[in-house]
Amino acid sequence: MADAEGTPPRRIAWVTGASRGVGRGVAVALGQAGWVVYVTARSSADGRTGHLPGTVEQTADAVTAAGGLGVAVKCDHRDDAAVRAVAARITADHGRLDLLVNNAWAGYERLNAGGWQEWNAPFWEQPLELFDAMFSGGVRAHYVAAAVTAPLLIATPQSLVVTVSVAVPETEQHAFGAAYAMAKTADDRLALAAAIQLGEHGVASVAVHPDWVRTEGCCSSRTRWTCPHRSRPKESGGPSPRWPATRR
């Protein structure tokens, strides 16, 4: 269907974990392509989850300023009812979902707060809460978002699920913690399983591995990431959390 001006309707996206970092970059890039973008995360004008900047309202405003339409929704992706409510809202508002970007990730919170030693400790010395954050606030959150939006994605021709992950080659396992490697491998497997099962209904699913990205967490003074872009000013052009998007 075309709108009143005869132009194609805006595509609809839901980007989880989009108050900052990769999620924010993806959302704004979609805005530049004219998409309606539902932005979800826990950090909002009512309060942030830590010291890092960024809220869902700020990202939604940036999406709109870029040429799209940003919709901010505070959502804890560990709360299944809250996730279902967002899916229901998108269904009621538009009756379609062209793109789900699974980016919510609570696995870096302790690291961003200064927990460098525990991050690099052997798995038996790491707090179990670190494992729980990666799975409940990461892998499971991605699974739930994909599951509750599956009917809407299936009803939308040429829809897509993107799961943001990290490549963990066997030859580089020594560089990753056990919980982190397990979570990212699980995300990749989720993307593959979704590609097979949703693919039967015309929905594509992929995992993307952005590698190093100059996010707020990467460049935070409270972390010790050996990020190659940490010392560069924002204007220097190092990789930033943006994702090319086009109208389909």
Side-chain angles (χ1 to χ4, degrees):
M1 293 176 59
D3 62 19
E5 288 71 36
T7 58
R10 293 179 187 263
R11 299 289 183 174
I12 312 301
W14 178 4
V15 184
T16 74
S19 58
R20 63 182 68 91
V22 171
R24 175 185 168 89
V26 170
V28 174
L30 290 167
Q32 290 174 338
W35 288 56
V36 175
V37 185
Y38 284 76
V39 176
T40 56
R42 289 172 294 158
S43 291
S44 72
D46 295 331
R48 301 198 307 271
T49 55
H51 72 285
L52 296 176
T55 66
V56 290
E57 292 87 358
Q58 290 171 338
T59 298
D61 288 345
V63 170
T64 301
L69 177 61
V71 182
V73 184
K74 182 179 180 179
C75 177
D76 185 339
H77 278 268
R78 298 168 297 185
D79 182 343
D80 295 350
V83 177
R84 291 183 186 278
V86 178
R89 177 174 174 178
I90 296 173
T91 301
D93 289 350
H94 304 283
R96 65 180 295 128
L97 181 62
D98 297 274
L99 173 65
L100 169 67
V101 179
N102 268 324
N103 179 71
W105 175 253
Y108 295 142
E109 283 187 0
R110 297 175 68 94
L111 176 63
N112 288 333
W116 182 254
Q117 289 185 332
E118 71 175 33
W119 180 269
N120 289 282
F123 74 88
W124 60 90
E125 294 180 4
Q126 290 181 326
L128 295 178
E129 290 80 3
L130 184 60
F131 178 98
D132 292 339
M134 293 181 183
F135 277 81
S136 64
V139 179
R140 189 181 187 281
H142 301 161
Y143 183 96
V144 172
V148 302
T149 58
L152 191 54
L153 291 162
I154 291 170
T156 307
Q158 298 182 319
S159 57
L160 171 66
V161 179
V162 173
T163 300
V164 179
S165 185
V166 171
V168 185
E170 290 185 11
T171 56
E172 298 179 21
Q173 175 59 63
H174 63 280
F176 298 91
Y180 187 81
M182 291 170 65
K184 295 305 182 181
T185 302
D187 266 338
D188 287 349
R189 184 60 60 172
L190 169 61
L192 175 59
I196 295 170
Q197 297 185 19
L198 288 175
E200 297 177 356
H201 303 278
V203 181
S205 170
V206 297
V208 297
H209 301 157
D211 202 13
W212 282 110
V213 182
R214 193 179 61 243
T215 64
E216 298 87 345
C218 177
C219 300
S220 170
S221 61
R222 297 191 188 183
T223 65
R224 301 179 188 178
W225 289 107
T226 54
C227 175
H229 314 297
R230 179 174 176 178
S231 61
R232 297 185 184 182
K234 187 173 182 180
E235 297 75 14
S236 68
S240 59
R242 298 180 61 185
W243 191 35
T246 57
R247 298 180 188 271
R248 290 189 294 149

